[in-house]
Amino acid sequence: MTGSDGAVVVSVTGGVTGVSATYERLLALAVTLEAAAERMRAWAADGARVLVDGDLLASGLLAPLSLAEAEVAVVTATTGPDGVLTESAGWWLDAEALRLAVRLLQEADELAGHSLAAIDHALGRALGQTLAAGAPLWVPALAGGLTTAALLWPQVPGPGRDHLLERLDGEGDDLQEWVTEHPRLVERLAAGGGGLVDGLRGAGLPLGPAAPLPPLGLLGLLGPLPPTRDTAAAARLLARAYAPGRPRTRALPGVTVPASAQRPGSVEDLVEHLAQLSELSAPGRPDMNGTIEVQSFTGDDGVARHVVYLPGTDDMTTWPWTQDDDVRDMGANLALVGDQPTAYGAGVLEAMQAAGIGPDEPVLLAGHSQGGLQAAQLLDEQHGYRVTHVVTAGAPVAHLGPFPDGSHVLSLEQRGDVVPLLDGAPNPDSPEQVTLTFEAGPLAGRDVAGHHGFAAYAAGAAAADTSTHPGVQEQVRSLHESGFLGAQPPDGVRHGVYRITREP
C-alpha cells in the first residue's frame, strides 16, 4: 500500500484484526459453544422429565404401542447417538479445545518473549562487563584524549580544522546511514539495556558526579540497587538520578500556528499541526521550550471535543547535574520509557484544566516522539479526563499500557527511525492499539533526524488515511466518527498555546 505522498506501508499489527483480537474472538466463541452445550443438556433433562411424566405413563394403559414409540423417540432425541445430550458433549469439547489452543499459543508467545528477553539481558550484561573490564584503559585514554584535543584544537590551522571537521562529518553520516538501515539491531541493543546497566554497575568503576565521563557519573548517582530486568526497568533506574520537579503551566496569549484555528480533517493534518507547533521550540528558541496546544470545538451533537498536541524532546543532552527548567528533557524520556510520572504530563493536565475541558468531554492526544510517549501514558492514567483516542508518531510506547477497553491508539513508526525502537520491544498486539510501520523513501533522507522528522511522518499519516487495511481503517474511522477529524465546525475552533516549565 502506498500513501498519497509516496509512503509505503510495510506492516500493520494489532487492532481489530490483530492476533490478540483473534484470540478474544476465539475465546468468545468458546463461551458461545459452552452456552449452547448447557442449553442442550437442559433439553435432555426436559426429555428425561417427559419420560416419567404421570399423564404420559397413564396414557400407556390405553395405547401401549404409542407410548413405546413416544419413549423411543424421546430417548433417541435426548440420549441417542445424535441426541442433544451426546451433541452437547461435542460442543463442550469444542469449547475446551478452543480455550486450550489459545492458551498454548499465548504460552508459546510468552515463552519466546521470555527467552529472547533473557538472551538480550545476557548479551547486554556481557557487553557492560566487557566495557567495565577495559575501563582502566579506555576511560583514562578517552578522558585524556578529549583533554588533549581541547588544548590542541586552537593551535590547528584553519584549513586543517575544516578538513578534519569534513572527515568527522562524513564518518558521522556513514554511521547514521548504517543505523537507519539496520533498525532492528538498534532495537536488540536497546533490549539489552537492563543487562548493560547491570554489567556496568557491578564492575566497581570510579563512579559519581566527578567521574571522568558523564555516563559513569550518572550510574554513580544510582547507588546499590536491585538488578534491572529489561529496558523499562533500566530506564526507571536511570530516571531516578533526575529530579522530577513540579510543572509551571501558563497560557501564551496571541501565540498561534497556521493550523491553530482549523479543525484537523485527517491524520496527516494532525502530524502537520504537530510539525508547526514543534517549530515554536525549534533550536535557537529555548524561551519557547515546553509549548503545547489545545484545540476545542463543538460537534453537531452539541458535545465539546478537544485535541491536545504534544511535541517531543526539547533537550536531549540534559544530565542530572545540568537540569534546568526544560520539562521535555532526557530525564522525562527515561521516566516515560519506564512508565513513571513526569512534570510534562502533570503540566499537560494543568493546560487541559485551564482550557476548560470537562470531565465527560472526549479528548484526543496527538504526540510526536516524547510527546507520543506522554500521550500514551496519559491514556492509561486516572486523572479525571475522558481521553479516548491517541495518535503517536515516532514514539517508543511498547512498555505502556495495557490501554483501557474501547480506547484507540494509532502508532505510526517509520522503518529506519531508531527512536520508536529505543524501548527494546515491538508494540504489543492488542485490540486497542494499531501499529503502522511505513517506509517514507526519499522524504526520510539518510540520517537519523530525517527518519524521525515530520516530513516522513506526514507521509506515513497520509498512508494511514488512505489505507485499505481493516485495522487501520477502523482506527481512522473511529477518529472521524468520534468527531475529532472532519470539516470546519460551524462555531469555529477555540485554541490556546501553553508553555510548561519545570520548577524544583
Side-chain angles (χ1 to χ4, degrees), residues 470-481:
V472 179
Q473 286 182 326
E474 191 273 337
Q475 287 275 340
V476 176
R477 182 171 58 251
S478 180
L479 287 167
H480 283 274
E481 292 177 348

Side-chain angles (χ1 to χ4, degrees), residues 38-431:
E38 288 290 338
R39 288 195 298 271
M40 290 179 180
R41 283 194 288 271
W43 295 340
D46 289 341
R49 284 190 290 271
V50 167
L51 291 175
V52 296
D53 182 82
D55 293 337
L56 178 64
L57 294 175
S59 68
L61 298 174
L62 301 176
L65 293 178
S66 296
L67 172 62
E69 290 176 356
E71 288 187 336
V72 168
V74 171
V75 170
T76 301
T78 55
T79 60
D82 296 320
V84 289
L85 185 61
T86 305
E87 289 296 319
S88 72
W91 286 54
W92 180 83
L93 288 173
D94 287 343
E96 289 301 304
L98 276 176
R99 291 194 180 98
L100 177 60
V102 170
R103 185 161 63 249
L104 289 174
L105 289 171
Q106 289 175 325
E107 289 178 354
D109 290 343
E110 290 177 5
L111 178 60
H114 289 319
S115 299
L116 186 59
I119 293 172
D120 289 336
H121 187 278
L123 291 175
R125 186 177 181 86
L127 177 59
Q129 291 173 334
T130 301
L131 292 173
L137 297 176
W138 66 262
V139 170
L142 182 56
L146 293 174
T147 302
T148 302
L151 293 173
L152 295 180
W153 183 256
Q155 312 303 321
V156 178
R161 276 184 288 180
D162 292 342
H163 177 69
L164 181 58
L165 288 173
E166 289 177 2
R167 287 285 302 276
L168 292 174
D169 185 55
E171 292 178 1
D173 289 343
D174 292 341
L175 177 60
Q176 291 194 65
E177 185 176 357
W178 185 89
V179 167
T180 58
E181 289 179 353
H182 301 83
R184 292 302 164 189
L185 180 58
V186 175
E187 184 177 66
R188 295 272 54 83
L189 291 173
L196 176 65
V197 171
D198 282 349
L200 290 173
R201 280 198 298 136
L205 295 175
L207 305 177
L213 294 176
L216 300 182
L218 175 59
L219 291 172
L221 294 176
L222 303 176
L225 293 167
T228 50
R229 300 182 308 278
D230 53 25
T231 303
R236 286 192 293 272
L237 183 66
L238 296 174
R240 293 176 60 171
Y242 290 83
R246 302 184 307 274
R248 179 172 182 262
T249 306
R250 64 183 187 276
L252 301 179
V255 177
T256 64
V257 297
S260 290
Q262 297 296 315
R263 179 191 193 180
S266 63
V267 180
E268 185 179 11
D269 286 348
L270 291 173
V271 173
E272 289 181 344
H273 194 144
L274 277 169
Q276 295 174 14
L277 186 63
S278 295
E279 282 299 312
L280 293 180
S281 56
R285 302 189 65 184
D287 57 308
M288 296 294 283
N289 285 357
T291 47
I292 70 169
E293 186 167 20
V294 180
Q295 281 186 320
S296 302
F297 41 84
T298 302
D300 295 336
D301 55 3
V303 176
R305 292 166 174 81
H306 311 271
V307 183
V308 183
Y309 299 88
L310 305 180
T313 311
D314 292 317
D315 185 359
M316 290 287 294
T317 61
T318 306
W319 298 104
W321 47 89
T322 65
Q323 273 188 290
D324 51 22
D325 65 351
D326 284 338
V327 75
R328 295 193 295 239
D329 61 6
M330 182 53 68
N333 280 325
L334 292 169
L336 287 167
V337 171
D339 198 10
Q340 300 295 296
T342 66
Y344 187 18
V348 171
L349 296 177
E350 289 182 353
M352 291 169 64
Q353 181 180 23
I357 298 179
D360 297 322
E361 296 169 353
V363 177
L364 159 65
L365 302 177
H368 173 252
S369 195
Q370 184 186 122
L373 264 170
Q374 188 62 76
Q377 188 192 60
L378 287 173
L379 174 63
D380 196 37
E381 286 189 351
Q382 300 297 320
H383 42 56
Y385 291 102
R386 189 184 168 206
V387 178
T388 61
H389 290 69
V390 164
V391 175
T392 71
V397 295
H399 293 291
L400 301 179
F403 300 115
D405 292 343
S407 62
H408 285 76
V409 180
L410 175 59
S411 294
L412 306 176
E413 297 188 358
Q414 148 80 357
R415 185 170 68 177
D417 181 7
V418 299
V419 174
L421 306 179
L422 293 179
D423 48 17
N427 292 343
D429 186 305
S430 74

